[in-house]
């Protein structure tokens, strides 16, 4: 693989990045208490400069190639294409080390943290994928790692808790609030407030105060960067007609969309978790159910009560079980640039089984939502559809076994 | 003259600001707790509006917020309760005469409507606001003019990690007083405030335009005394909430809690 630079797109409305205060349209910003200001300000003033350093680029690209296993393949899914009477390509993030796209970001952030002189890493995790990806890079670099995880999720995701521990991380149960991802994120932010000088917080998605959404999007943008040249090689054109990705906080979608945002010919399809159904009170479809609000340090769409208390979402997939989305996605939604669909628990499960049998790939439950969205689109034979296959289904086997009655 | 500036014009030392959560321990505790605080010698009340995701708060205030939300507290309900704050109510709760500051996170305030919020706050007799997650940039470009239009003070926070230049900028934007967070922590921390003398001394020597009150980790007489040595006073939060947790007699609990601290 060539060691191409991470493209630094122009800041502001025309590019994929936010303005200098972290806004994508009316969403973003850094709504943080003063106690977090020095850390966030340090990141904000240094992340672009550090990411542009040739030595950083070289180390990042080399690790992505030799440790993560990039570039990940772009695979023409023949039988799935036949079923939908179109041409479908799968971007195989499931083949990344640790089984999902999450590690693209953690590799980038650990290198950044080391350059900032940090001695300790903290992270939040829901399903445990980001926690495992963080524990992995911390082991690789020999740096202390503490992962905050909701007490409920610790019970639900035992194998990933064990993986984190085996990798040497400390897993701290978040006991506050609803004891899931939202609260794990609160606890990680509080822990950062309490350890302001030696600790870096590796956030797991394109959420949080500026510059996190932009920084994480840039690290994940390697996904769409590769898709462009891989499509060119395989089809003669760099541009797909559709780019489909599931959205929890939105990091795999941000990475899959990044180099296509300014290409109006590419339809950007973001797939949210409808849970039991959008209007059942058991859903995580933030764009459908949320209003503009502030959560975890940025202004975005947030699921909340009329009085502004953040509500507890539901999805069968822990990675999509979050009451917000990143500000970039809120902007794509509000501006109409993105198409937002939602998929229920049952439909996602059905697609997970279909894809497993059609292509020999067991997808993560999160990714199964992206596959199910194929059914909601009117696709033509001459379309080129890319599905971001964000992760593999090993972690969801217990859910799949239950669905099979075994 | 505004209540806060009046207070600071007449009292320069050992100013005691006590935090309580609206709707805690019971939904209707708000005014009785405030009245007890005034009667037992508090100089300022910092009234917390509960939020589901209070990033700057430790477990004690988180718990009180959760309980207040479960009790049914909302901003609309709070303004209803506070409508008799400055006049006394039919239930016999006397009027509150000391300054009252509302503390809360931005999200519930935005959902209520920022301008409507400031208007209502001023109408019921609130003196100032603490909005810990309101950034300076958004304050200057969007929200500041509205806050000033309704005559409310806005209190910003500084911490031991805040650089001198930024402290000066924050001081210039603040009115009422400056909230000096004692250590880099969430509320209710056990970090030793005795270690922070140099920081308090620095704030004192900077000759800021606002009085300085120290908060976070002030829990008893000795921490209050230490905080007051170089500043104008201090703010007690988690320790008082803890005292209220199992209290069946708000006035009695408040009396024994505060008399201890105020004693010279
Ligand atoms: C495989 C997979 N896909 C998607 C997600 C959702 O996160 P994001 O929206 O940030 O990509 C997760 C999160 O755990 C995941 O593990």
């Amino acid at each position: 693989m060539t060691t191409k630079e991470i493209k630094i797109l122009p800041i502001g409305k025309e590019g994929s990045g936010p303005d200098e205060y972290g806004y994508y349209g009316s969403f973003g910003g850094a709504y943080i208490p003063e106690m977090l200001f020095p850390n966030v300000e340090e990141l904000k003033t240094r992340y672009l400069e550090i990411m542009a350093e040739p030595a950083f680029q070289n180390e990042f690209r080399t690790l992505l190639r030799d440790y993560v296993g990039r570039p990940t393949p772009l695979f023409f899914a023949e039988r799935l294409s036949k079923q939908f009477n179109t041409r479908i390509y799968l971007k195989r993030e499931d083949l990344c080390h640790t089984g999902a796209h999450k590690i693209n970001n953690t590799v980038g952030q650990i290198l950044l943290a080391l350059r900032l002189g940090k001695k300790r890493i903290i992270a939040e995790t829901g399903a445990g994928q980001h926690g495992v990806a963080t524990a992995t890079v911390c082991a690789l670099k020999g740096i202390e790692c503490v992962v905050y995880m909701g007490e409920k999720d610790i019970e639900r995701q035992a194998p990933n808790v064990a993986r984190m521990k085996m990798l040497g991380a400390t897993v701290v149960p978040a006991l506050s609030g609803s004891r899931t991802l939202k609260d794990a994120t609160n606890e990680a932010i509080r822990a950062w407030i309490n350890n302001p000088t030696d600790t870096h917080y590796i956030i797991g998605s394109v959420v949080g105060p500026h510059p996190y959404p932009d920084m994480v999007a840039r690290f994940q943008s390697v996904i769409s960067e590769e898709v462009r040249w891989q499509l060119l090689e395989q089809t003669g054109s760099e541009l797909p007609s559709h780019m489909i990705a599931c959205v929890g906080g939105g990091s795999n979608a941000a990475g899959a969309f990044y180099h296509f945002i300014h290409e109006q010919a590419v339809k950007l399809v973001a797939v949210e978790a409808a849970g039991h159904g959008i209007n059942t009170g058991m859903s995580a479809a933030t764009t459908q159910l949320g209003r503009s609000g502030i959560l975890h340090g940025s202004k975005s769409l947030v699921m909340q009560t009329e009085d502004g208390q953040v509500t507890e979402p539901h999805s069968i997939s822990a990675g999509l079980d979050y009451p917000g989305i990143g500000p970039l996605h809120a902007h794509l939604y509000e501006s109409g640039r993105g198409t937002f669909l939602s998929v229920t628990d049952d439909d996602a499960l059905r697609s997970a089984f279909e894809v497993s049998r059609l292509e020999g790939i067991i997808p993560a439950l999160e990714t199964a939502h992206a596959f199910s969205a194929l059914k909601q689109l009117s696709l033509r034979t001459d379309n080129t559809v890319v599905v971001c296959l964000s992760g593999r289904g090993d972690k969801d086997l217990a859910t799949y076994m239950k669905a099979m009655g075994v | 003259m505004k209540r806060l500036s009046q207070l600071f014009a007449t009292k320069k030392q050992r100013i005691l600001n006590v935090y309580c959560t609206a709707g805690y321990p019971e939904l209707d505790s708000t005014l009785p707790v405030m009245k007890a605080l005034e009667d037992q010698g508090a100089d300022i009340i910092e009234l917390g509006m509960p939020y589901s995701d209070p990033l700057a708060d430790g477990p004690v205030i988180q718990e009180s917020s959760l309980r207040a939300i479960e009790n049914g507290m909302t901003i609309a309900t709070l303004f209803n309760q506070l409508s008799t704050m400055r006049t006394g109510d039919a239930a016999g709760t006397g009027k509150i005469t000391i300054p009252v500051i509302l503390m809360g996170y931005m999200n519930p305030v935005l959902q209520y409507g920022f301008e409507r919020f400031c208007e209502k706050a001023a109408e019921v007799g609130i003196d100032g606001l603490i909005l810990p997650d309101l950034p300076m940039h958004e304050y200057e470009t969007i929200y500041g003019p509205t806050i000033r239009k309704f005559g409310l003070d806005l209190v910003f926070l500084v911490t031991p990690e805040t650089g001198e230049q930024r402290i000066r900028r924050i001081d210039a934007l603040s009115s009422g007083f400056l909230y000096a967070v004692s250590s880099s922590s969430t509320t209710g921390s056990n970090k030793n405030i005795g270690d922070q003398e140099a920081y308090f001394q620095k704030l004192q020597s900077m000759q800021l335009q606002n009085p300085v009150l120290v908060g976070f980790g002030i829990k008893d007489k000795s921490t209050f005394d230490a905080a007051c040595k170089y500043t104008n006073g201090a703010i007690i939060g988690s320790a008082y909430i803890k005292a209220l947790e199992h209290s069946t007699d708000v006035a009695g609990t408040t009396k024994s809690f505060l008399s201890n601290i105020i004693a010279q």
Side-chain angles (χ1 to χ4, degrees):
Chain A
M1 184 180 119
T2 53
T3 50
K4 276 182 276 185
E5 275 197 16
I6 304 175
K7 238 186 252 166
I8 309 259
L9 287 184
I11 282 199
K13 289 194 179 75
E14 302 312 316
S16 304
D19 71 14
E20 68 175 300
Y21 295 101
Y23 282 91
Y24 302 86
S26 57
F27 300 110
Y31 292 80
I32 48 165
E34 184 64 23
M35 291 78 90
L36 278 180
F37 179 81
N39 271 328
V40 171
E41 183 67 10
E42 178 185 39
L43 261 188
K44 189 182 122 182
T45 49
R46 303 227 25 221
Y47 81 112
L48 290 176
E49 154 213 332
I50 291 176
M51 286 171 75
E53 283 169 13
F56 179 92
Q57 285 287 330
N58 190 44
E59 201 178 347
F60 180 56
R61 295 285 163 162
T62 303
L63 276 178
L64 287 186
R65 184 188 64 201
D66 300 341
Y67 188 67
V68 175
R70 302 204 74 92
T72 59
L74 183 73
F75 175 66
F76 177 64
E78 199 175 328
R79 298 185 66 208
L80 194 67
S81 296
K82 205 164 280 169
Q83 171 159 329
F84 287 97
N85 203 20
T86 188
R87 288 178 303 165
I88 299 172
Y89 291 82
L90 307 180
K91 181 56 176 163
R92 298 290 309 274
E93 295 302 296
D94 60 318
L95 295 177
C96 288
H97 179 42
T98 70
H101 68 289
K102 295 283 180 189
I103 198 164
N104 301 327
N105 169 44
T106 60
V107 166
Q109 284 204 50
I110 194 90
L111 297 180
L112 197 107
L114 290 170
R115 278 166 174 76
L116 293 173
K118 303 293 179 175
K119 305 273 182 279
R120 216 174 143 257
I121 295 296
I122 55 175
E124 86 296 338
T125 197
Q129 285 304 108
H130 174 60
V132 168
T134 305
T136 298
V137 297
C138 288
L140 177 72
K141 290 295 177 186
I143 187 166
E144 185 189 345
C145 178
V146 180
V147 179
Y148 294 83
M149 188 170 186
E151 195 185 30
K152 268 190 204 160
D153 290 334
I154 288 181
E155 289 161 18
R156 293 196 284 195
Q157 310 286 336
N160 271 344
V161 176
R163 289 168 84 194
M164 287 185 267
K165 289 185 177 162
M166 189 159 171
L167 291 160
T170 306
V171 180
V172 178
L175 304 173
S176 60
S178 52
R179 297 175 292 128
T180 58
L181 177 57
K182 166 176 88 76
D183 307 283
T185 308
N186 288 337
E187 288 308 321
I189 293 174
R190 288 179 187 126
W192 207 22
I193 288 176
N194 282 290
N195 298 280
T197 45
D198 67 338
T199 301
H200 175 70
Y201 175 26
I202 299 190
I203 212 162
S205 194
V206 286
V207 300
H210 177 61
Y212 276 105
D214 184 46
M215 182 171 70
V216 176
R218 285 173 194 268
F219 286 136
Q220 292 291 0
S221 71
V222 67
I223 299 173
S224 49
E225 181 190 303
E226 289 174 5
V227 169
R228 282 190 79 119
W229 63 257
Q230 290 171 320
L231 267 184
L232 183 65
E233 271 180 17
Q234 295 184 36
T235 70
S237 163
E238 285 183 276
L239 304 184
S241 59
H242 299 72
M243 174 56 89
I244 307 178
C246 65
V247 176
S251 67
N252 87 90
F257 294 168
Y258 199 86
H259 292 286
F260 298 117
I261 288 176
H262 60 291
E263 306 275 13
Q264 299 297 329
V266 182
K267 190 168 175 137
L268 307 175
V269 182
V271 187
E272 296 180 299
H276 293 186
I278 286 176
N279 295 313
T280 59
M282 295 283 282
S283 177
T286 304
T287 59
Q288 305 306 305
L289 297 166
R291 293 195 313 281
S292 175
I294 292 164
L295 177 64
H296 297 143
S298 64
K299 191 175 210 187
S300 189
L301 294 169
V302 179
M303 289 171 56
Q304 52 187 312
T305 65
E306 201 187 322
D307 316 310
Q309 308 298 348
V310 180
T311 51
E312 199 41 39
H314 165 83
S315 168
I316 190 171
S317 114
L320 304 184
D321 204 354
Y322 183 71
I325 50 170
L328 164 64
H329 295 293
H331 179 56
L332 292 177
Y333 177 74
E334 195 184 60
S335 64
R337 176 68 188 93
T339 301
F340 283 71
L341 303 176
S342 55
V343 165
T344 63
D345 290 353
D346 289 348
D347 286 340
L349 264 178
R350 206 164 293 130
S351 285
F353 283 91
E354 284 166 10
V355 171
S356 298
R357 288 173 190 209
L358 280 175
E359 297 297 340
I361 297 170
I362 299 175
L365 264 171
E366 291 80 10
T367 316
H369 288 72
F371 279 112
S372 184
L374 287 166
K375 299 175 187 174
Q376 299 180 32
L377 296 165
S378 19
L379 300 170
R380 296 197 318 257
T381 49
D382 62 344
N383 283 151
T384 304
V385 179
V386 177
V387 178
C388 183
L389 212 172
S390 59
R392 57 178 176 245
D394 306 29
K395 71 183 176 59
D396 298 309
L397 220 53
T399 309
Y400 293 152
M401 285 165 73
K402 206 170 139 202
M404 289 187 288
V406 297
Chain B
M1 199 177 183
K2 290 178 170 183
R3 282 183 205 92
L4 274 172
S5 23
Q6 204 160 11
L7 168 70
F8 289 112
T10 51
K11 188 167 178 178
K12 310 274 182 210
Q13 283 181 330
R14 296 183 70 79
I15 289 173
L16 175 63
N17 180 347
V18 185
Y19 169 91
C20 55
T21 303
Y24 179 86
E26 309 296 333
L27 180 62
D28 293 325
S29 304
T30 314
L31 281 178
V33 167
M34 291 169 75
K35 187 64 189 152
L37 286 173
E38 170 160 342
D39 290 346
Q40 299 309 325
D43 297 301
I44 303 173
I45 294 166
E46 181 184 326
L47 183 59
M49 301 177 283
Y51 178 46
S52 53
D53 297 78
L55 285 184
D57 287 301
V60 172
I61 292 181
Q62 285 170 40
E63 272 305 310
S64 73
S65 299
L66 213 58
R67 190 150 139 201
I69 293 167
E70 284 165 9
N71 288 343
M73 182 47 74
T74 65
I75 291 179
T77 302
L78 178 60
F79 282 139
N80 269 338
Q81 292 181 345
L82 297 183
S83 62
T84 57
M85 168 172 79
R86 298 299 185 193
T87 56
D89 68 10
T93 311
K95 63 182 179 190
I96 313 276
T97 60
I98 59 177
V100 179
I101 313 283
L102 281 180
M103 192 300 280
Y105 294 82
M106 281 296 280
N107 193 52
V109 174
L110 290 182
Q111 304 310 318
Y112 186 84
F114 196 84
E115 172 140 13
R116 182 171 160 235
F117 174 83
C118 292
E119 185 178 5
K120 266 306 231 188
E123 190 184 304
V124 302
I126 293 296
D127 300 285
L129 306 175
I130 300 176
L131 301 167
D133 59 348
L134 169 60
M136 236 194 251
H137 168 66
E138 282 74 2
Y139 170 77
E140 288 183 288
T141 53
I142 307 172
Y143 301 108
T146 310
I147 295 171
R148 289 191 294 273
K149 175 173 151 192
F150 292 100
L152 297 165
D153 286 318
L154 187 77
V155 175
F156 276 103
L157 275 56
V158 298
T159 81
E161 309 290 331
T162 310
E164 191 160 329
Q165 220 182 349
R166 187 169 164 85
I167 293 177
R168 294 225 177 268
R169 222 181 123 207
I170 290 175
D171 181 47
L173 291 182
S174 291
S175 61
F177 61 90
L178 203 63
Y179 194 132
V181 174
S182 65
S183 63
S184 299
S185 68
T186 45
T187 54
S189 90
N190 277 322
K191 288 189 184 170
N192 188 354
I193 84 148
D195 300 344
Q196 300 294 357
E197 262 201 37
Y199 160 55
F200 300 145
Q201 258 172 316
K202 174 176 102 177
L203 289 174
Q204 186 187 40
S205 70
M206 283 180 73
Q207 308 264 332
L208 300 169
Q209 66 161 11
N210 285 290
V212 175
L213 300 185
V214 177
F216 288 36
I218 314 299
K219 55 182 178 222
D220 51 21
K221 182 167 163 52
S222 80
T223 45
F224 183 67
D225 289 350
C228 289
K229 198 164 157 196
Y230 299 102
T231 66
N232 303 88
I235 304 158
I236 297 183
S238 298
Y240 178 60
I241 296 293
K242 228 185 257 173
L244 278 184
E245 188 182 355
H246 300 293
S247 166
T248 48
D249 167 21
V250 163
T253 302
T254 306
K255 183 173 183 178
S256 56
F257 184 82
L258 289 193
S259 58
N260 215 337
I261 289 162
I262 292 170
Q264 291 274 351

